[in-house]
């Protein structure tokens, strides 16, 4: 198992809600994480505007439920928060 995804530059993206929540809620351990040996994931970014072909959009591998991995994503941004002097 594995996968690849292509994202436009500066668009929000990541693995899924659970992985994001784990990273946000454990700041003391924010180093690299080792993936299981039986998986591999690639995430590519581009500053070009991707154009999806008819062939790609009709592929049986197209994941029509991809958006569901983002359901339940909580907002952590606090516009009132001011950085402390030691940051």
């Amino acid at each position: 198992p594995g996968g690849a995804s292509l994202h436009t530059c500066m668009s929000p993206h990541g693995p899924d809600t659970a992985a994001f929540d784990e990273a946000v809620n454990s700041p003391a351990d924010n180093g690299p994480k080792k993936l299981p040996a039986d998986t591999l994931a690639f995430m590519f970014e581009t500053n070009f505007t991707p154009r999806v072909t008819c062939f790609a959009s009709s592929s049986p591998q197209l994941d029509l439920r991809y958006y569901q991995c983002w359901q339940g994503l909580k907002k952590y941004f606090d516009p009132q928060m001011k950085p402390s002097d030691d940051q």
Side-chain angles (χ1 to χ4, degrees), residues 11-74:
S11 67
H13 55 273
D16 55 40
T17 299
F20 177 78
D21 285 341
E22 180 184 342
V24 168
N25 292 317
S26 60
D29 181 26
N30 61 2
K33 304 279 190 263
K34 184 171 178 149
L35 293 172
D38 63 347
T39 188
L40 191 57
F42 291 94
M43 194 176 296
F44 300 96
E45 266 190 14
T46 179
N47 60 336
F48 297 108
T49 303
R51 188 173 196 179
V52 180
T53 64
C54 291
F55 177 79
S57 63
S58 62
S59 169
Q61 285 79 27
L62 183 65
D63 185 358
L64 297 173
R65 298 181 311 246
Y66 176 73
Y67 74 94
Q68 292 176 352
C69 75
W70 295 101
Q71 300 299 310
L73 188 62
K74 297 178 190 85

